[in-house]
Amino acid sequence: MGNETSYPEEMGSRFDQEEIKRLGKRFRKLDVDSSGALTADELLSLPDLWNNPLAQRVFEVFDADGDGKVDFEEFIVGTSLFSVRGDEEQKLRFAFSIYDMDRDGYISNGELFQVLKMMVGNNLQDRELQQIVDKTIIVLDTDGDGRLSFQEFKAAVEDLEIHKQLVVEV
């Protein structure tokens, strides 16, 4: 993992050195196999994620390099998005990235369907969910390209103040 005090605040984090030390302790506690990186099971053992249907997607977003594990830097950068000092734009980008499964900068019809399916489970039939997805894309896709850009997503959710809901204590 390296020494958490060696990570500068400039690495994309909103935390001061004391907070990084506390997060280092939390990281080591989660890292039950002492590998220096968190597996999905280790990260998802956080109480905030236990019953979250999007927990696996949160892990995948934290895993910036896509290697199947979250190292300390990825943990700090990911966690900093939830800091009270995190800015609205970054929090909206995080929310967008939950839906942008292939990381191409757009939310496709299929991606929106998959994420909403994770959220609703079997409470809706696939046909009903697909109708909701289709209508959502039609309404929010202002440039008519059949997918949602970050700007279209932002315009749709701005008034919901999602960024205020993405906050955890360190």
Side-chain angles (χ1 to χ4, degrees):
M1 171 182 92
N3 181 354
E4 67 271 358
T5 59
S6 67
Y7 286 102
E9 292 175 50
E10 302 86 54
M11 71 185 218
S13 153
R14 300 262 188 241
F15 300 123
D16 61 30
Q17 289 300 315
E18 193 56 42
E19 291 168 322
I20 290 176
K21 281 184 184 180
R22 280 198 305 273
L23 285 167
K25 288 178 185 174
R26 185 177 290 172
F27 183 90
R28 285 189 298 278
K29 216 179 214 184
L30 291 169
D31 185 16
V32 293
D33 64 1
S34 300
S35 66
L38 303 177
T39 63
D41 288 340
E42 289 170 329
L43 184 64
L44 302 181
S45 71
L46 284 168
D48 292 339
L49 294 175
W50 282 342
N51 294 320
N52 187 326
L54 297 178
Q56 183 62 39
R57 284 295 304 137
V58 170
F59 175 81
E60 291 164 2
V61 172
F62 270 47
D63 180 19
D65 63 9
D67 67 355
K69 52 192 183 282
V70 173
D71 63 30
F72 186 63
E73 185 172 350
E74 290 170 324
F75 180 73
I76 291 295
V77 170
T79 307
S80 74
L81 296 171
F82 298 98
S83 165
V84 293
R85 294 186 298 260
D87 71 24
E88 179 180 344
E89 180 89 4
Q90 284 183 313
K91 290 176 188 218
L92 288 175
R93 287 199 180 276
F94 174 80
F96 179 83
S97 66
I98 293 292
Y99 293 91
D100 181 16
M101 298 177 79
D102 64 5
R103 300 179 183 199
D104 69 350
Y106 295 94
I107 300 170
S108 70
N109 187 297
E111 289 169 324
L112 185 58
F113 180 89
Q114 286 179 46
V115 174
L116 292 180
K117 182 68 174 175
M118 289 175 209
M119 294 168 66
V120 302
N122 292 323
N123 291 323
L124 286 177
Q125 293 180 359
D126 285 354
R127 180 182 48 77
E128 295 169 312
L129 184 57
Q130 188 61 60
Q131 289 172 342
I132 292 168
V133 167
D134 292 344
K135 186 170 184 164
T136 301
I137 295 287
I138 289 168
V139 170
L140 301 180
D141 178 24
T142 57
D143 65 6
D145 66 355
R147 57 193 182 171
L148 303 179
S149 67
F150 174 71
Q151 292 306 320
E152 290 166 329
F153 175 83
K154 182 178 176 181
V157 301
E158 241 170 357
D159 294 337
L160 301 176
E161 296 188 325
I162 288 175
H163 63 284
K164 291 182 178 176
Q165 298 169 31
L166 297 176
V167 177
V168 293
E169 296 260 337
V170 179

